[in-house]
Amino acid sequence: MLRDCAFVSAELMYQPRPVEPREQHVFDFTLASRLAELSHYDAAAVLLCNAPATLDSLAHLPAAYPRLRFVAAVVNPQPLATSDPYAATPFDCGWPTPERWRRYNLTDRWARITFALDVARQLDTPGFLIMPALDAVWGQGLLALLTRLSQRHTRNGLPAAVSPYTPYQHSAVPGVDIPQPIIDALNAAFARDSWLRWRFRYGRYQSFWGKMGLLPFGMCGEILRRAETMVWEDDLELDRVIREAGFAVSCQWVGDPALYRQALPVFDHDSLRAVIERTLHYSLPIPGQFPGEKSLLNQPLDMPARLRTLVSPRFARAVALAEAIIADCNAAIVSRLEQCGASWVDWGAYRYAVRVGDPLVQVWKIE
């Protein structure tokens, strides 16, 4: 079914297609952009879903994209089978009905990533595995650009793993009311390093990103063998493993939003806070002078960004809103750490708990 595909795009589906109109419109728009670009190639979309109901909600896709091959599977993490040294976490942290919480062996995202890697490693023809985030918006020509980049950095006969990176971490969607100050604040939260594009160019920063990346089929088996799947920030772990295995990896800064950008179902302060809170948790396991020091969100604005706040009132307002939410989230995280030695965030059906300096995340679900 997947033989001779130039691209196999694994769509990681965590819940059924949204029913709330704004969320559904954003979901449909971003997914359609990816499937439309894939349709220009001999390609397949692999729908890795959390439940049969999610797959049923996507049943219209094969008829809408007749040039694409579609494959689907229900993939989830499994309850932890071994003895658990952190079994007391729900009790220590004061979670409601602590006896009902059950720990899982990895995140639902890692469960679907490892499934996709296992599928791709069995393909013995040239091609790429893609595992885009649900908020990735592809423009026509993106895959051709990334393929050229990959081939340009071929090492030992194997093309490079490549990712695009966009400064448009959030953006408008036609026909959807997303307040511009919310879009601006999310973009400003990540706009703290004005030299990032040059770091990418010279390979001095993380180069493989979970929002979007191409992995040659020939890398996937070795990546699957080496990856530590209990590391929460999976794209950073994949970047580490790719380099450790001796493969080439490269990142392309894409400043044209018509070619690549991101658009999320983030419409208000609460949903903006949820994204920031989760991002801050990613870096807690990395040692620093204070919890979360290594997060980009906790880095001070560099000089060009500070100058921009002086000449752009709109950017200054966005930075102020982002920094207020970042500070509030940091205070909540520190409070949890002081009280019980761990902090946690709910995302989808699972709760992720982390301890400072512990590289492995705890994945919990209430039964």
Side-chain angles (χ1 to χ4, degrees), residues 100-120:
R100 293 181 56 200
W101 290 89
R102 192 168 188 182
R103 192 173 169 211
Y104 281 72
N105 63 337
L106 69 173
T107 69
D108 53 348
R109 179 171 166 82
W110 263 121
R112 294 171 194 129
I113 287 174
T114 53
F115 186 96
L117 288 169
D118 190 45
V119 169

Side-chain angles (χ1 to χ4, degrees), residues 75-81 103-115 224 227-232 350-352 361-365:
V75 181
N76 289 300
Q78 299 301 311
L80 199 65
R103 192 173 169 211
Y104 281 72
N105 63 337
L106 69 173
T107 69
D108 53 348
R109 179 171 166 82
W110 263 121
R112 294 171 194 129
I113 287 174
T114 53
F115 186 96
L224 183 61
E228 170 51 74
T229 57
M230 287 305 293
V231 172
W232 189 9
Y350 299 88
R351 173 168 290 182
Y352 304 105
V361 67
Q362 301 174 42
V363 183
W364 296 87
K365 186 178 181 183

Side-chain angles (χ1 to χ4, degrees), residues 272-321:
L272 175 60
R273 178 192 169 98
V275 173
I276 288 174
E277 183 180 33
R278 181 182 61 163
T279 304
L280 288 169
H281 277 82
Y282 285 155
S283 64
L284 286 183
I286 304 173
Q289 292 183 345
F290 58 87
E293 179 192 13
K294 300 300 183 178
S295 174
L296 178 62
L297 298 182
N298 279 327
Q299 301 304 306
L301 288 178
D302 64 7
M303 180 60 72
R306 292 200 301 272
L307 291 175
R308 186 179 171 192
T309 64
L310 299 178
V311 299
S312 172
R314 174 176 162 179
F315 183 66
R317 290 191 297 270
V319 167
L321 175 55

